[in-house]
């Protein structure tokens, strides 16, 4: 992972989880508008619970288990939420404002791949430009929900803006990405 594009996520203090050491995300917005992400989850062996592999498809409720996420601001109020599961499943949701979900057509699917090592899991995602708002600059929130082996969850983000984990708060969209 390139150090200049790698961002460390912070564990929310209300959800500490023993055995999970770090979450780093590399994010690169290409000249054609595609977004490449690599989530690196570092944990003690067997500390992280991963969902079983499934065929790539849309699925609701992915955040209830280990799930990497991306929030992208469209304008002052609108935003899009992406969920990427190590299972290979994914979800995309549009919002008119804070947690005001609206229905929308999803033209294409993100591509997800998983690589595991003894002390880390890498989830790689390629988001086609057609899934992202137009423009050369994106305001984003990089987040992750990690499920420990005992079933407890921990919440990671670039920034936490509330006493309880809430990735939908606009203050959490703490990274600006520009096309290369």
């Amino acid at each position: 992972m390139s150090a200049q594009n790698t961002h460390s996520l912070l564990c929310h203090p209300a959800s500490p989880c023993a055995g999970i050491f770090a979450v780093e995300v590399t994010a690169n917005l290409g000249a054609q508008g595609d977004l490449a992400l690599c989530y690196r989850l570092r944990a003690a062996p067997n500390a992280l619970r991963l969902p079983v592999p499934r065929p790539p498809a849309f699925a609701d409720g992915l955040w209830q288990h280990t799930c990497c996420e991306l929030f992208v601001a469209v304008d002052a109020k609108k935003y899009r939420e992406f969920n990427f599961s190590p299972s290979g499943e994914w979800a995309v949701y549009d919002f008119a404002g804070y947690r005001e979900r609206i229905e929308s057509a999803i033209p294409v699917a993100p591509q997800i791949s998983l690589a595991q090592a003894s002390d880390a899991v890498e989830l790689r995602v390629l988001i086609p430009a057609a899934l992202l708002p137009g423009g050369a600059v994106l305001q984003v929130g990089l987040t992750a929900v990690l499920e420990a082996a005992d079933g407890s969850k921990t919440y990671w983000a670039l920034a936490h803006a509330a006493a309880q984990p809430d990735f939908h708060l606009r203050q959490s969209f703490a990274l600006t990405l520009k096309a290369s």
Side-chain angles (χ1 to χ4, degrees), residues 157-169:
L158 285 171
H160 294 284
Q164 294 301 314
D166 187 349
F167 300 149
H168 290 260
L169 293 171

Side-chain angles (χ1 to χ4, degrees), residues 57-79:
F58 178 91
D60 272 321
L62 296 175
W63 52 269
Q64 295 176 28
H65 302 285
T66 295
C67 176
C68 297
E69 300 181 344
L70 169 73
F71 290 78
V72 181
V74 176
D75 61 27
K77 292 185 178 184
K78 294 180 184 176
Y79 62 97

Side-chain angles (χ1 to χ4, degrees), residues 14 16 21 24-26 33 41 43 67 71 79 88 95 103 107 113 140:
F21 307 131
E24 297 171 330
V25 184
T26 300
L41 317 174
C67 176
F71 290 78
Y79 62 97
F95 294 86
E103 294 300 318
S113 63
V140 304

Side-chain angles (χ1 to χ4, degrees), residues 11-93:
C11 181
H12 193 283
S15 67
C17 184
I20 299 175
F21 307 131
V23 178
E24 297 171 330
V25 184
T26 300
N28 291 302
L29 185 59
Q32 303 301 314
D34 293 347
L35 179 58
L37 301 169
C38 179
Y39 293 82
R40 184 168 175 80
L41 317 174
R42 292 189 330 118
N46 302 314
L48 186 61
R49 183 181 289 175
L50 297 176
V52 297
R54 299 193 185 280
F58 178 91
D60 272 321
L62 296 175
W63 52 269
Q64 295 176 28
H65 302 285
T66 295
C67 176
C68 297
E69 300 181 344
L70 169 73
F71 290 78
V72 181
V74 176
D75 61 27
K77 292 185 178 184
K78 294 180 184 176
Y79 62 97
R80 178 167 275 182
E81 174 185 354
F82 295 85
N83 296 169
F84 314 112
S85 173
S87 70
E89 296 170 304
W90 55 272
V92 180
Y93 305 105

